[in-house]
Structures are given as C-alpha cells and as structure tokens.
Amino acid sequence: MMRLFLIGFAVLLVSCTQAPPYHDHGPHQGHDQGPVTYPTQPTYPPVDYTPLPQPPATQPGDRICGGMTGSTCGVQGEFCYRTVEAQCGAADQTGVCRPIPQICTQEYAPVCGCDGRTYGNECNANGSGVSAAYRGECRP
C-alpha cells in the first residue's frame, strides 16, 4: 500500500512541475502592423542656441514703446515698430516709435501682421500701423 502511495505521489509531483504546452495562435485579430517596438531612449528636438533678438537700433531722441509697461507712442501718425524677431512684443519685447509710412513699393514679399492679417510686404503692414509677426502669409 505504501508503495502504491509513493508511486501516485511521484506521478502527481512530476505532472505539477511540467510547464503547460505553448500554443502559438498567430497574430492577434486586428493587429496587422507587426511587432511593437519602443525606442531605447526618448528623443528630443535639438536645442536652438541662436542668440535672442536685439531691440531695433535706436537713435538719439527715439522713444521706446511696448515692453513690460506697455507704453504707446501717443503721437498721431506714429506706431510701435517691432522687428519680425520681436514676435509682436511677446515676452515683453520692446519696439521703437516710428512714423507710419505713407508710400510703399508694390514688391510682393508677404508678411503676417501682428493683427493676424496678411500684407503684401512689411512696409504695407507698417502703413496700416502694424508690425510684421513673421515672413509669409498668415497661417489659418
């Protein structure tokens, strides 16, 4: 009787320690893209170390406008001129009070004005009392 018990115990022990059979059912339903891969390290865009834009060159007697105080020119026929690099005064960029141009060339070099409208060139934008936000037509 003891011998029969030991044989049964040995069979039970062997059957419990074996790994279950592996069945490959092929790719999962709806996943035709192949195996998923993950990058080993995150990727980041390159850092731009371009120097920050400088304010427009000033001359003696020029009045600074914009900036942290938000000062305006306050004189009829002038506007706060900012270079394209000043991004319409973002991050408290300053500008310089300049006369609004009365005559501009008809050269087509479109700029997007700080008011969100496309102008034929920077002079046309300035003629409307607006600085250029960036070169090219305004994006929708």
Side-chain angles (χ1 to χ4, degrees):
M1 183 78 166
M2 182 68 149
R3 181 181 260 178
L4 188 57
F5 174 75
L6 287 175
I7 292 173
F9 182 72
V11 169
L12 180 65
L13 185 63
V14 169
S15 66
C16 288
T17 58
Q18 289 181 346
Y22 175 73
H23 298 287
D24 184 10
H25 297 290
H28 297 290
Q29 292 288 338
H31 293 91
D32 315 293
Q33 294 87 8
V36 177
T37 59
Y38 297 96
T40 56
Q41 293 181 341
T43 55
Y44 300 100
V47 177
D48 183 6
Y49 291 106
T50 306
L52 294 174
Q54 299 298 311
T58 59
Q59 300 170 4
D62 278 350
R63 292 185 322 282
I64 303 296
C65 53
M68 290 182 71
T69 62
S71 62
T72 59
C73 294
V75 175
Q76 179 113 9
E78 288 187 343
F79 76 108
C80 189
Y81 171 78
R82 292 181 177 96
T83 61
V84 172
E85 291 79 19
Q87 302 171 343
C88 299
D92 297 321
Q93 296 264 0
T94 59
V96 177
C97 293
R98 293 277 188 247
I100 294 176
Q102 301 300 310
I103 300 173
C104 295
T105 65
Q106 294 303 308
E107 169 194 17
Y108 187 71
V111 296
C112 182
C114 291
D115 60 356
R117 294 181 54 204
T118 300
Y119 293 90
N121 58 43
E122 189 173 9
C123 181
N124 292 141
N126 296 164
S128 295
V130 177
S131 291
Y134 54 87
R135 291 173 186 87
E137 295 181 1
C138 294
R139 296 181 280 272

